[in-house]
Amino acid sequence: MSDITIDNKRIAKNTVVLYIRMIFLMVINLYTSRLVLQALGVDDFGIYNVVGGFVTMFSLLSGALSNAIGRFLTFELGKKNIERLKEVFSTSITIQILLATSIILIAEIIGVWFLNVKMKIPTERMTAANWVFQCSLLTFGVNLVSIPYNACIIAHEKMTAFAFISILEVMLKLCIVVLLLFLATDRLIIYGLLLMVLAILIRLVYGIYCSHHFEECHYGFTYNKKLVKEMIGLASWNFLGSSGAVLNSHGVNILMNLFFGVSVNAARGIAVQVNGAVSQFVSSFTTAVNPQITKSYAEGKFDHTFKLVFAASKYSYFLMLMLVAPIVAETPFILKLWLNQVPDYSVLFVRLTLIVTLLSTLSTSLYTLALATGDIKKYQIVVGGLGLSCFFITYICYKLGLPVEYAYYIAILINVLILFARIKILSDLTGLNVKNFICDVILRVAFVSFVVFFLLYFYNIHFSHKTIYQVLERLIIITIVNIVSIWLLGLKTPEKQYICSIVAKKIPKR
């Protein structure tokens, strides 16, 4: 059996494991979100969303380093260099500890001032908001140190362990929220404290598992100047891209708070929850395939690398579309059924957030390929610069008095520009064929999307639906159209033949 066949089987197995994890997490997270909104109320839910997001603003450099750590660990696994792997792991832990300490100190100085002076939070809830800030900051520091352990599990493609620990974490979060419902004290403060304790517990679980299963996961202080320089160098350019991503999510959330208040943050929090649950479908697939992209590039199997990138981009988009289209069609019904109490703007925010994420799925594997090369200077200058522009353009629009939803329209436009910028840069960097990517990926997903969303528009204009049976009928029709469109317009003949052969093998022969 060839190495490529073994790799494909491993991807398939890990994808199945991650999908089981995803379905469980999605159901529990959505139920937990409803209970959190019920326990905290709209205003406190909005406060937690915006204050927690503000803490994440300080993770700009940490996000850049996280990607660099994952890349170095996976690359060395592909090279099968165990001594270098041990050095990379210990160095990454040292860097993360120093980084966490620095960020916490900076956040204590700048963050406390901004929270108490600039942010629009009701005066009577400022004490609770400060408690949430401190708990979120400590939780962030703990999670930061855990990153190399998480990266090792993914790099080794031990997705079963990753799934079980994630399920443990989400079940404990559910227990925390259920406990809140029975408390008469300040629930917002207790919620922040318990989530901080949970982060410490999960950090210990990751550490124990990795130290028992992976030879390199035994920390010892080490300082390799050349390695530190390489990791910081990669992270420095990665910082620009991470800045755009964080400012576009949490930065825009703060702008919404400054211009529109905490009720809008509550609606955005709902949209983020729905988007996170739906995105699990795609991340389950990309988490399984991304290590293979990096390893195949490290081994010099460039044709196989490009095939993985093309497949990951297209299939992740189709997986996302299968969920996005039905949810966009029935957002009001779904939110009413899920939450009962639906904050203003929630329906619009959910729909626009899902469309932004749908576009961004095309770029995930491209980013993995860029990281695999280790040469991301030009990539991050261009892509990160475009990403940062989204935040500043949104600020200008709000200053001009434009509606809150303009943040999403700008994000959609910027994501389209970023996609084409990534393709062009990676063509120069790796030899990625631009014409093939446009024809095999972009045009095919565009044709399928046009058919599906035209159907949604047609239904909204010509049909009304009030009962759950009418809603289910509509969802079934949309799903069928999705599948047929993907089969006829989205897949090439060899891909159809491969799927037919897999199905044929599963059918028992008489």
Side-chain angles (χ1 to χ4, degrees), residues 274 323-338 347 350-351 354 456 459-460 463-478:
V274 174
L323 281 177
V324 166
I327 293 174
V328 168
E330 298 297 343
T331 306
F333 178 84
I334 292 170
L335 291 186
K336 184 65 177 177
L337 183 66
W338 169 35
V347 172
V350 166
R351 285 171 166 167
L354 290 175
L456 296 184
Y459 257 98
N460 284 332
F463 294 92
S464 61
H465 48 283
K466 298 186 181 297
T467 69
I468 189 170
Y469 300 106
Q470 291 172 322
V471 171
L472 289 174
E473 177 186 352
R474 184 179 182 184
L475 294 178
I476 291 170
I477 292 173
I478 291 170

Side-chain angles (χ1 to χ4, degrees), residues 9 20 24 46 89 112 118 145 149 152 161 242 252 288 350 353-354 411 423 440 457:
K9 286 190 173 184
I20 295 171
F24 190 87
F89 177 81
V112 172
K118 294 294 184 180
V145 179
Y149 295 94
C152 277
S242 297
V252 169
V350 166
T353 299
L354 290 175
I423 297 168
D440 294 346
Y457 176 77

Side-chain angles (χ1 to χ4, degrees), residues 161-229:
F162 186 67
F164 276 121
I165 296 175
S166 299
I167 290 171
L168 172 65
E169 182 176 9
V170 77
M171 288 301 297
L172 290 174
K173 282 183 180 178
L174 176 59
C175 293
I176 288 172
V177 177
V178 171
L179 178 62
L180 284 182
L181 296 173
F182 296 95
L183 295 177
T185 54
D186 196 313
R187 292 175 176 176
L188 183 57
I189 294 175
I190 298 299
Y191 186 54
L193 285 169
L194 291 178
L195 287 184
M196 179 184 69
V197 173
L198 176 59
I200 295 171
L201 176 62
I202 295 300
R203 157 71 184 84
L204 293 173
V205 172
Y206 272 116
I208 292 170
Y209 176 84
C210 290
S211 62
H212 278 78
H213 290 83
F214 308 135
E215 186 179 351
E216 71 274 11
C217 291
H218 296 278
Y219 175 68
F221 179 80
T222 181
Y223 183 81
N224 182 321
K225 185 176 180 180
K226 182 180 178 182
L227 178 58
V228 171
K229 185 177 179 180

Side-chain angles (χ1 to χ4, degrees), residues 97-109:
I97 291 173
L98 293 174
L99 182 63
T101 304
S102 302
I103 290 177
I104 289 173
L105 289 174
I106 294 171
E108 288 291 354
I109 297 171

